[in-house]
Amino acid sequence: MLPILLVVTAVSAVCALAFGSEMLPVSTVVDVVHSRFGGPAVTRSDLAIVWGIRAPRVLLGLAVGAGLAVAGAVVQTLVRNALADPHLLGVSSGASVGATAVITTGLFAGAGVWALSFGAMIGALGAAILVFTIATLQGGITPLRLVLTGTVTASALSAIASFLVLRTNDSQAAQSVLFWLLGSLAGASWDKLWAPVIVVFLLTAAVFALHGWLDALAAGPDVAASLGIPIRTLRNVLFGVLAALVGTMVAVSGAIAFVGLVIPHVTRMIVGARHRVVLPAAALIGASFLVWVDVVARTSLRPTEIPLSVVTGVIGAPLFLLLLGRRRYRFGGSS
């Protein structure tokens, strides 16, 4: 399945470059990409549209989709809960506070185009440190404590973000906050692309190196402990990786729902539950899915763009329910 998914992801990326306010033939897209790697020259307008505007957006979609799917698979194993998603840790809510503060108060205005991402990242890291500190002081990271602490912290931080929106008199700022909270790839550029790509690649490789320990942890802490796995250390490492991964994704694209919750389950239905296969497969499926979601978001109501979380819910939920009804599926001992 992995080679097939890799081909599907590559084809999806190329086809997505053809969609937008101005439709282009796939052959033109291939010519533009070829020209960037030593092929014959193409028209300046095609080069600007495909390579200057759409390519960074598609690549960012691939990175964010892959990162959210991997984070979802890991957090579901960490807390052994089928309803867990990357936003469970409270990191997304912390990023929302930082981004809302930037939009409504002009915080970090000196950072220019990086202000929003910088504010979101500061908020995400602050939330992660807060959740980790509270959980540690109460006895360490356990599935139940992490779920409760993350959920309560996320609620408190969401309330702060809502307060910042309510106190502003700028209706445009409030609309911008709402659009950001629902997720978008509109801010993609070559300058902002490499950080999330590198983070996703390195952290996915890090959790993949622990795939055997993740399999044991998914079977239960008693099983993992009997195999000599340091449970406490593993949970702390996974929390740190998840915080960095989710914080980076939210900082560059907003809080995109659905991907981190459902894509890992879809992946397990297709390839089984072993993390050696689940992690790369989830990354490829999540990347392809988000690329096509972005295509729908920017073409269905042209020239208006729809937030990504709206599209993921409207399109992704029925597809998942259909797949769930056609296949037998088990998670955490329940079917």
Short mmCIF file of all heavy atoms in Angstrom, two decimals, residues 112-182:
data_model
loop_
_atom_site.label_atom_id
_atom_site.label_comp_id
_atom_site.label_asym_id
_atom_site.label_seq_id
_atom_site.Cartn_x
_atom_site.Cartn_y
_atom_site.Cartn_z
N GLY A 112 6.49 41.75 11.27
CA GLY A 112 6.01 41.80 9.89
C GLY A 112 5.12 40.63 9.54
O GLY A 112 4.20 40.27 10.29
N VAL A 113 5.41 39.99 8.41
CA VAL A 113 4.57 38.88 7.94
C VAL A 113 4.68 37.66 8.85
O VAL A 113 3.83 36.76 8.80
CB VAL A 113 4.95 38.48 6.50
CG1 VAL A 113 4.66 39.62 5.54
CG2 VAL A 113 6.40 38.05 6.41
N TRP A 114 5.69 37.63 9.70
CA TRP A 114 5.87 36.51 10.62
C TRP A 114 5.12 36.72 11.93
O TRP A 114 5.13 35.82 12.79
CB TRP A 114 7.35 36.30 10.92
CG TRP A 114 8.13 35.79 9.76
CD1 TRP A 114 8.81 36.52 8.83
CD2 TRP A 114 8.30 34.43 9.38
NE1 TRP A 114 9.40 35.71 7.90
CE2 TRP A 114 9.11 34.41 8.21
CE3 TRP A 114 7.87 33.22 9.91
CZ2 TRP A 114 9.49 33.23 7.58
CZ3 TRP A 114 8.24 32.04 9.27
CH2 TRP A 114 9.04 32.06 8.13
N ALA A 115 4.48 37.85 12.12
CA ALA A 115 3.86 38.18 13.40
C ALA A 115 2.82 37.14 13.82
O ALA A 115 2.81 36.67 14.96
CB ALA A 115 3.24 39.57 13.35
N LEU A 116 1.93 36.78 12.90
CA LEU A 116 0.85 35.85 13.23
C LEU A 116 1.41 34.47 13.60
O LEU A 116 1.02 33.88 14.61
CB LEU A 116 -0.12 35.73 12.06
CG LEU A 116 -1.41 34.94 12.32
CD1 LEU A 116 -2.21 35.56 13.45
CD2 LEU A 116 -2.26 34.88 11.05
N SER A 117 2.31 33.96 12.78
CA SER A 117 2.90 32.65 13.07
C SER A 117 3.71 32.68 14.37
O SER A 117 3.66 31.74 15.17
CB SER A 117 3.79 32.20 11.91
OG SER A 117 3.04 32.04 10.74
N PHE A 118 4.43 33.78 14.59
CA PHE A 118 5.24 33.90 15.80
C PHE A 118 4.35 33.94 17.04
O PHE A 118 4.61 33.26 18.04
CB PHE A 118 6.10 35.16 15.72
CG PHE A 118 7.04 35.34 16.88
CD1 PHE A 118 8.12 34.49 17.03
CD2 PHE A 118 6.83 36.33 17.82
CE1 PHE A 118 8.99 34.64 18.11
CE2 PHE A 118 7.68 36.49 18.89
CZ PHE A 118 8.77 35.64 19.04
N GLY A 119 3.27 34.73 16.98
CA GLY A 119 2.36 34.80 18.11
C GLY A 119 1.70 33.46 18.39
O GLY A 119 1.56 33.04 19.55
N ALA A 120 1.28 32.76 17.34
CA ALA A 120 0.65 31.45 17.51
C ALA A 120 1.64 30.45 18.10
O ALA A 120 1.27 29.64 18.97
CB ALA A 120 0.12 30.96 16.17
N MET A 121 2.87 30.48 17.66
CA MET A 121 3.86 29.55 18.18
C MET A 121 4.16 29.83 19.66
O MET A 121 4.27 28.89 20.47
CB MET A 121 5.15 29.64 17.36
CG MET A 121 6.27 28.72 17.85
SD MET A 121 5.79 26.98 17.88
CE MET A 121 5.82 26.61 16.13
N ILE A 122 4.27 31.10 20.02
CA ILE A 122 4.50 31.44 21.43
C ILE A 122 3.34 30.93 22.29
O ILE A 122 3.53 30.35 23.37
CB ILE A 122 4.67 32.96 21.60
CG1 ILE A 122 5.96 33.43 20.92
CG2 ILE A 122 4.67 33.34 23.08
CD1 ILE A 122 7.21 32.87 21.52
N GLY A 123 2.11 31.15 21.82
CA GLY A 123 0.95 30.67 22.55
C GLY A 123 0.92 29.16 22.66
O GLY A 123 0.58 28.59 23.71
N ALA A 124 1.28 28.46 21.58
CA ALA A 124 1.29 26.99 21.59
C ALA A 124 2.32 26.45 22.57
O ALA A 124 2.04 25.52 23.35
CB ALA A 124 1.57 26.48 20.18
N LEU A 125 3.52 27.02 22.56
CA LEU A 125 4.56 26.56 23.47
C LEU A 125 4.19 26.85 24.92
O LEU A 125 4.42 26.02 25.81
CB LEU A 125 5.89 27.22 23.12
CG LEU A 125 6.52 26.81 21.79
CD1 LEU A 125 7.80 27.59 21.53
CD2 LEU A 125 6.78 25.32 21.76
N GLY A 126 3.58 28.02 25.15
CA GLY A 126 3.14 28.35 26.50
C GLY A 126 2.10 27.37 27.01
O GLY A 126 2.15 26.92 28.17
N ALA A 127 1.15 27.01 26.16
CA ALA A 127 0.12 26.04 26.54
C ALA A 127 0.72 24.68 26.82
O ALA A 127 0.33 23.99 27.77
CB ALA A 127 -0.95 25.96 25.45
N ALA A 128 1.66 24.25 25.97
CA ALA A 128 2.30 22.95 26.16
C ALA A 128 3.05 22.89 27.49
O ALA A 128 2.96 21.91 28.23
CB ALA A 128 3.25 22.66 25.00
N ILE A 129 3.79 23.95 27.79
CA ILE A 129 4.53 24.00 29.06
C ILE A 129 3.56 23.97 30.24
O ILE A 129 3.80 23.30 31.26
CB ILE A 129 5.42 25.26 29.11
CG1 ILE A 129 6.54 25.14 28.06
CG2 ILE A 129 6.01 25.46 30.49
CD1 ILE A 129 7.35 26.41 27.89
N LEU A 130 2.45 24.70 30.11
CA LEU A 130 1.46 24.75 31.20
C LEU A 130 0.86 23.36 31.45
O LEU A 130 0.78 22.91 32.60
CB LEU A 130 0.37 25.75 30.84
CG LEU A 130 -0.78 25.90 31.85
CD1 LEU A 130 -0.25 26.40 33.19
CD2 LEU A 130 -1.85 26.85 31.32
N VAL A 131 0.42 22.69 30.38
CA VAL A 131 -0.18 21.36 30.53
C VAL A 131 0.84 20.37 31.10
O VAL A 131 0.52 19.59 32.01
CB VAL A 131 -0.73 20.86 29.18
CG1 VAL A 131 -1.16 19.40 29.27
CG2 VAL A 131 -1.90 21.73 28.74
N PHE A 132 2.06 20.41 30.58
CA PHE A 132 3.09 19.48 31.06
C PHE A 132 3.41 19.74 32.53
O PHE A 132 3.55 18.79 33.33
CB PHE A 132 4.35 19.64 30.23
CG PHE A 132 5.46 18.70 30.63
CD1 PHE A 132 5.45 17.38 30.18
CD2 PHE A 132 6.49 19.12 31.44
CE1 PHE A 132 6.47 16.50 30.54
CE2 PHE A 132 7.50 18.26 31.81
CZ PHE A 132 7.49 16.94 31.36
N THR A 133 3.51 21.00 32.93
CA THR A 133 3.83 21.33 34.32
C THR A 133 2.73 20.87 35.26
O THR A 133 2.99 20.27 36.31
CB THR A 133 4.04 22.85 34.46
OG1 THR A 133 5.10 23.26 33.59
CG2 THR A 133 4.40 23.21 35.89
N ILE A 134 1.48 21.15 34.89
CA ILE A 134 0.36 20.74 35.75
C ILE A 134 0.31 19.22 35.89
O ILE A 134 0.16 18.68 37.00
CB ILE A 134 -0.97 21.26 35.17
CG1 ILE A 134 -1.01 22.79 35.24
CG2 ILE A 134 -2.16 20.67 35.93
CD1 ILE A 134 -2.23 23.40 34.57
N ALA A 135 0.45 18.52 34.77
CA ALA A 135 0.40 17.06 34.82
C ALA A 135 1.56 16.49 35.63
O ALA A 135 1.39 15.53 36.39
CB ALA A 135 0.42 16.50 33.40
N THR A 136 2.74 17.07 35.50
CA THR A 136 3.91 16.59 36.23
C THR A 136 3.75 16.81 37.73
O THR A 136 4.04 15.92 38.55
CB THR A 136 5.18 17.29 35.73
OG1 THR A 136 5.35 17.03 34.33
CG2 THR A 136 6.41 16.79 36.48
N LEU A 137 3.26 17.98 38.11
CA LEU A 137 3.07 18.29 39.53
C LEU A 137 2.01 17.40 40.17
O LEU A 137 2.03 17.16 41.38
CB LEU A 137 2.69 19.76 39.71
CG LEU A 137 3.78 20.78 39.37
CD1 LEU A 137 3.25 22.20 39.51
CD2 LEU A 137 5.00 20.57 40.26
N GLN A 138 1.10 16.90 39.36
CA GLN A 138 0.04 16.04 39.89
C GLN A 138 0.41 14.56 39.85
O GLN A 138 -0.42 13.71 40.17
CB GLN A 138 -1.25 16.26 39.08
CG GLN A 138 -1.86 17.64 39.29
CD GLN A 138 -3.10 17.85 38.44
OE1 GLN A 138 -3.33 17.12 37.47
NE2 GLN A 138 -3.90 18.84 38.80
N GLY A 139 1.64 14.25 39.45
CA GLY A 139 2.06 12.86 39.50
C GLY A 139 2.58 12.30 38.20
O GLY A 139 2.92 11.11 38.12
N GLY A 140 2.66 13.12 37.17
CA GLY A 140 3.21 12.65 35.90
C GLY A 140 2.14 12.48 34.84
O GLY A 140 0.93 12.47 35.13
N ILE A 141 2.58 12.32 33.60
CA ILE A 141 1.66 12.19 32.46
C ILE A 141 1.09 10.77 32.43
O ILE A 141 1.82 9.79 32.27
CB ILE A 141 2.39 12.51 31.14
CG1 ILE A 141 2.74 14.00 31.08
CG2 ILE A 141 1.53 12.14 29.95
CD1 ILE A 141 3.48 14.39 29.84
N THR A 142 -0.20 10.69 32.61
CA THR A 142 -0.94 9.45 32.39
C THR A 142 -2.05 9.76 31.39
O THR A 142 -2.43 10.92 31.22
CB THR A 142 -1.55 8.92 33.70
OG1 THR A 142 -2.49 9.88 34.20
CG2 THR A 142 -0.46 8.68 34.74
N PRO A 143 -2.61 8.74 30.73
CA PRO A 143 -3.65 9.02 29.74
C PRO A 143 -4.81 9.83 30.28
O PRO A 143 -5.21 10.83 29.68
CB PRO A 143 -4.09 7.61 29.30
CG PRO A 143 -2.86 6.78 29.47
CD PRO A 143 -2.19 7.31 30.70
N LEU A 144 -5.36 9.43 31.42
CA LEU A 144 -6.51 10.14 31.97
C LEU A 144 -6.15 11.56 32.39
O LEU A 144 -6.87 12.51 32.10
CB LEU A 144 -7.08 9.37 33.16
CG LEU A 144 -8.31 10.00 33.83
CD1 LEU A 144 -9.45 10.16 32.84
CD2 LEU A 144 -8.75 9.17 35.04
N ARG A 145 -5.00 11.70 33.07
CA ARG A 145 -4.60 13.04 33.53
C ARG A 145 -4.31 13.95 32.34
O ARG A 145 -4.65 15.14 32.36
CB ARG A 145 -3.36 12.92 34.43
CG ARG A 145 -2.91 14.26 35.01
CD ARG A 145 -1.77 14.10 35.99
NE ARG A 145 -2.21 13.43 37.21
CZ ARG A 145 -1.77 12.23 37.61
NH1 ARG A 145 -0.87 11.58 36.88
NH2 ARG A 145 -2.20 11.70 38.72
N LEU A 146 -3.71 13.42 31.29
CA LEU A 146 -3.39 14.23 30.12
C LEU A 146 -4.66 14.68 29.41
O LEU A 146 -4.78 15.84 28.99
CB LEU A 146 -2.51 13.44 29.15
CG LEU A 146 -2.01 14.18 27.92
CD1 LEU A 146 -1.20 15.40 28.33
CD2 LEU A 146 -1.17 13.25 27.04
N VAL A 147 -5.63 13.78 29.29
CA VAL A 147 -6.90 14.13 28.64
C VAL A 147 -7.62 15.22 29.43
O VAL A 147 -8.07 16.23 28.86
CB VAL A 147 -7.79 12.89 28.50
CG1 VAL A 147 -9.20 13.29 28.07
CG2 VAL A 147 -7.21 11.93 27.48
N LEU A 148 -7.73 15.03 30.74
CA LEU A 148 -8.46 16.00 31.56
C LEU A 148 -7.73 17.34 31.62
O LEU A 148 -8.33 18.41 31.47
CB LEU A 148 -8.67 15.44 32.96
CG LEU A 148 -9.60 14.23 33.06
CD1 LEU A 148 -9.66 13.72 34.49
CD2 LEU A 148 -11.00 14.59 32.57
N THR A 149 -6.42 17.30 31.85
CA THR A 149 -5.65 18.55 31.94
C THR A 149 -5.66 19.30 30.62
O THR A 149 -5.86 20.52 30.59
CB THR A 149 -4.19 18.23 32.35
OG1 THR A 149 -4.19 17.51 33.57
CG2 THR A 149 -3.41 19.53 32.53
N GLY A 150 -5.46 18.58 29.53
CA GLY A 150 -5.47 19.23 28.22
C GLY A 150 -6.82 19.82 27.88
O GLY A 150 -6.91 20.93 27.36
N THR A 151 -7.89 19.08 28.17
CA THR A 151 -9.23 19.56 27.84
C THR A 151 -9.60 20.79 28.66
O THR A 151 -10.12 21.78 28.12
CB THR A 151 -10.26 18.44 28.09
OG1 THR A 151 -9.93 17.31 27.29
CG2 THR A 151 -11.65 18.91 27.73
N VAL A 152 -9.32 20.76 29.96
CA VAL A 152 -9.65 21.90 30.82
C VAL A 152 -8.81 23.11 30.45
O VAL A 152 -9.32 24.24 30.37
CB VAL A 152 -9.45 21.52 32.30
CG1 VAL A 152 -9.60 22.75 33.19
CG2 VAL A 152 -10.45 20.45 32.71
N THR A 153 -7.53 22.91 30.21
CA THR A 153 -6.66 24.02 29.81
C THR A 153 -7.11 24.61 28.48
O THR A 153 -7.13 25.84 28.30
CB THR A 153 -5.20 23.54 29.70
OG1 THR A 153 -4.79 22.99 30.95
CG2 THR A 153 -4.28 24.69 29.33
N ALA A 154 -7.49 23.74 27.54
CA ALA A 154 -7.97 24.23 26.25
C ALA A 154 -9.23 25.07 26.41
O ALA A 154 -9.40 26.10 25.74
CB ALA A 154 -8.24 23.04 25.31
N SER A 155 -10.13 24.67 27.30
CA SER A 155 -11.35 25.44 27.53
C SER A 155 -11.02 26.82 28.09
O SER A 155 -11.60 27.83 27.66
CB SER A 155 -12.27 24.68 28.49
OG SER A 155 -12.67 23.44 27.95
N ALA A 156 -10.09 26.86 29.04
CA ALA A 156 -9.72 28.15 29.63
C ALA A 156 -9.06 29.07 28.59
O ALA A 156 -9.38 30.26 28.51
CB ALA A 156 -8.78 27.92 30.81
N LEU A 157 -8.17 28.51 27.78
CA LEU A 157 -7.49 29.32 26.77
C LEU A 157 -8.46 29.76 25.67
O LEU A 157 -8.34 30.89 25.16
CB LEU A 157 -6.34 28.52 26.16
CG LEU A 157 -5.18 28.21 27.12
CD1 LEU A 157 -4.17 27.28 26.46
CD2 LEU A 157 -4.50 29.49 27.58
N SER A 158 -9.41 28.91 25.31
CA SER A 158 -10.42 29.31 24.32
C SER A 158 -11.26 30.47 24.85
O SER A 158 -11.65 31.36 24.08
CB SER A 158 -11.31 28.11 23.98
OG SER A 158 -10.57 27.09 23.36
N ALA A 159 -11.54 30.46 26.16
CA ALA A 159 -12.28 31.57 26.75
C ALA A 159 -11.49 32.87 26.66
O ALA A 159 -12.05 33.94 26.39
CB ALA A 159 -12.61 31.24 28.21
N ILE A 160 -10.18 32.78 26.87
CA ILE A 160 -9.33 33.98 26.76
C ILE A 160 -9.34 34.50 25.32
O ILE A 160 -9.45 35.72 25.09
CB ILE A 160 -7.90 33.66 27.22
CG1 ILE A 160 -7.88 33.31 28.70
CG2 ILE A 160 -6.96 34.84 26.93
CD1 ILE A 160 -6.53 32.84 29.20
N ALA A 161 -9.24 33.59 24.35
CA ALA A 161 -9.28 34.01 22.95
C ALA A 161 -10.61 34.67 22.61
O ALA A 161 -10.66 35.69 21.91
CB ALA A 161 -9.03 32.81 22.04
N SER A 162 -11.70 34.11 23.12
CA SER A 162 -13.02 34.70 22.87
C SER A 162 -13.13 36.08 23.50
O SER A 162 -13.71 37.00 22.91
CB SER A 162 -14.12 33.79 23.44
OG SER A 162 -14.09 32.52 22.82
N PHE A 163 -12.55 36.25 24.68
CA PHE A 163 -12.57 37.57 25.34
C PHE A 163 -11.81 38.60 24.51
O PHE A 163 -12.25 39.75 24.38
CB PHE A 163 -11.97 37.46 26.74
CG PHE A 163 -11.79 38.78 27.43
CD1 PHE A 163 -12.88 39.44 27.96
CD2 PHE A 163 -10.53 39.36 27.54
CE1 PHE A 163 -12.72 40.67 28.59
CE2 PHE A 163 -10.37 40.58 28.16
CZ PHE A 163 -11.47 41.24 28.70
N LEU A 164 -10.67 38.21 23.95
CA LEU A 164 -9.90 39.14 23.12
C LEU A 164 -10.68 39.57 21.89
O LEU A 164 -10.59 40.72 21.45
CB LEU A 164 -8.58 38.49 22.70
CG LEU A 164 -7.55 38.23 23.81
CD1 LEU A 164 -6.35 37.46 23.27
CD2 LEU A 164 -7.10 39.55 24.44
N VAL A 165 -11.47 38.64 21.33
CA VAL A 165 -12.30 38.99 20.18
C VAL A 165 -13.41 39.94 20.58
O VAL A 165 -13.71 40.92 19.88
CB VAL A 165 -12.88 37.71 19.53
CG1 VAL A 165 -13.86 38.08 18.41
CG2 VAL A 165 -11.77 36.85 18.97
N LEU A 166 -14.04 39.68 21.73
CA LEU A 166 -15.18 40.49 22.17
C LEU A 166 -14.77 41.92 22.51
O LEU A 166 -15.55 42.86 22.32
CB LEU A 166 -15.86 39.84 23.38
CG LEU A 166 -16.62 38.55 23.10
CD1 LEU A 166 -17.12 37.94 24.40
CD2 LEU A 166 -17.80 38.82 22.17
N ARG A 167 -13.55 42.10 22.99
CA ARG A 167 -13.14 43.44 23.42
C ARG A 167 -12.66 44.32 22.27
O ARG A 167 -12.45 45.51 22.45
CB ARG A 167 -12.03 43.34 24.48
CG ARG A 167 -10.71 42.82 23.95
CD ARG A 167 -9.70 42.66 25.07
NE ARG A 167 -9.34 43.95 25.63
CZ ARG A 167 -8.36 44.74 25.16
NH1 ARG A 167 -7.67 44.35 24.10
NH2 ARG A 167 -8.09 45.89 25.74
N THR A 168 -12.50 43.75 21.09
CA THR A 168 -12.06 44.56 19.95
C THR A 168 -13.26 45.21 19.26
O THR A 168 -14.34 44.62 19.20
CB THR A 168 -11.28 43.72 18.93
OG1 THR A 168 -10.82 44.56 17.88
CG2 THR A 168 -12.14 42.62 18.34
N ASN A 169 -13.08 46.40 18.76
CA ASN A 169 -14.14 47.10 18.04
C ASN A 169 -13.99 46.97 16.52
O ASN A 169 -14.78 47.54 15.78
CB ASN A 169 -14.13 48.59 18.41
CG ASN A 169 -14.47 48.81 19.88
OD1 ASN A 169 -15.33 48.13 20.43
ND2 ASN A 169 -13.79 49.77 20.51
N ASP A 170 -12.99 46.22 16.10
CA ASP A 170 -12.70 46.06 14.69
C ASP A 170 -13.39 44.79 14.18
O ASP A 170 -12.97 43.67 14.49
CB ASP A 170 -11.19 45.97 14.47
CG ASP A 170 -10.81 45.97 12.99
OD1 ASP A 170 -11.72 45.89 12.15
OD2 ASP A 170 -9.59 46.05 12.70
N SER A 171 -14.47 44.95 13.42
CA SER A 171 -15.20 43.79 12.91
C SER A 171 -14.34 42.98 11.93
O SER A 171 -14.47 41.76 11.84
CB SER A 171 -16.49 44.23 12.22
OG SER A 171 -16.22 45.12 11.15
N GLN A 172 -13.47 43.66 11.20
CA GLN A 172 -12.59 42.97 10.26
C GLN A 172 -11.62 42.06 11.01
O GLN A 172 -11.33 40.94 10.57
CB GLN A 172 -11.81 43.98 9.42
CG GLN A 172 -10.92 43.36 8.35
CD GLN A 172 -11.74 42.62 7.29
OE1 GLN A 172 -12.83 43.06 6.93
NE2 GLN A 172 -11.21 41.50 6.83
N ALA A 173 -11.13 42.53 12.16
CA ALA A 173 -10.22 41.71 12.96
C ALA A 173 -10.94 40.48 13.50
O ALA A 173 -10.38 39.38 13.50
CB ALA A 173 -9.66 42.54 14.11
N ALA A 174 -12.18 40.66 13.94
CA ALA A 174 -12.95 39.53 14.44
C ALA A 174 -13.18 38.49 13.35
O ALA A 174 -13.09 37.28 13.58
CB ALA A 174 -14.29 40.01 15.01
N GLN A 175 -13.45 38.95 12.14
CA GLN A 175 -13.64 38.03 11.02
C GLN A 175 -12.33 37.31 10.69
O GLN A 175 -12.35 36.12 10.37
CB GLN A 175 -14.15 38.79 9.80
CG GLN A 175 -14.48 37.90 8.61
CD GLN A 175 -15.05 38.68 7.45
OE1 GLN A 175 -15.17 39.90 7.51
NE2 GLN A 175 -15.43 37.98 6.39
N SER A 176 -11.23 38.02 10.76
CA SER A 176 -9.93 37.40 10.50
C SER A 176 -9.62 36.32 11.52
O SER A 176 -9.07 35.26 11.19
CB SER A 176 -8.83 38.47 10.50
OG SER A 176 -9.04 39.42 9.50
N VAL A 177 -9.96 36.58 12.79
CA VAL A 177 -9.74 35.58 13.84
C VAL A 177 -10.56 34.33 13.56
O VAL A 177 -10.06 33.20 13.65
CB VAL A 177 -10.10 36.16 15.22
CG1 VAL A 177 -10.11 35.05 16.28
CG2 VAL A 177 -9.12 37.24 15.61
N LEU A 178 -11.83 34.51 13.21
CA LEU A 178 -12.70 33.36 12.93
C LEU A 178 -12.16 32.55 11.76
O LEU A 178 -12.12 31.31 11.81
CB LEU A 178 -14.12 33.85 12.62
CG LEU A 178 -15.14 32.76 12.25
CD1 LEU A 178 -15.29 31.77 13.40
CD2 LEU A 178 -16.48 33.38 11.89
N PHE A 179 -11.71 33.23 10.71
CA PHE A 179 -11.18 32.53 9.54
C PHE A 179 -9.92 31.76 9.92
O PHE A 179 -9.73 30.61 9.49
CB PHE A 179 -10.88 33.53 8.42
CG PHE A 179 -10.66 32.91 7.08
CD1 PHE A 179 -11.73 32.63 6.24
CD2 PHE A 179 -9.39 32.57 6.65
CE1 PHE A 179 -11.54 32.04 5.00
CE2 PHE A 179 -9.18 31.99 5.41
CZ PHE A 179 -10.27 31.72 4.59
N TRP A 180 -9.06 32.36 10.73
CA TRP A 180 -7.83 31.69 11.14
C TRP A 180 -8.14 30.47 12.01
O TRP A 180 -7.51 29.42 11.86
CB TRP A 180 -6.93 32.65 11.90
CG TRP A 180 -5.59 32.07 12.22
CD1 TRP A 180 -4.47 32.11 11.46
CD2 TRP A 180 -5.24 31.32 13.39
NE1 TRP A 180 -3.44 31.44 12.07
CE2 TRP A 180 -3.89 30.94 13.26
CE3 TRP A 180 -5.93 30.93 14.54
CZ2 TRP A 180 -3.23 30.21 14.23
CZ3 TRP A 180 -5.27 30.19 15.51
CH2 TRP A 180 -3.93 29.83 15.35
N LEU A 181 -9.11 30.61 12.92
CA LEU A 181 -9.45 29.51 13.82
C LEU A 181 -9.96 28.29 13.06
O LEU A 181 -9.83 27.16 13.53
CB LEU A 181 -10.49 29.97 14.84
CG LEU A 181 -10.03 30.98 15.89
CD1 LEU A 181 -11.19 31.40 16.77
CD2 LEU A 181 -8.90 30.40 16.74
N LEU A 182 -10.57 28.51 11.89
CA LEU A 182 -11.10 27.40 11.10
C LEU A 182 -10.08 26.84 10.12
O LEU A 182 -10.37 25.87 9.41
CB LEU A 182 -12.36 27.85 10.35
CG LEU A 182 -13.56 28.18 11.24
CD1 LEU A 182 -14.71 28.73 10.41
CD2 LEU A 182 -14.01 26.95 12.02
#
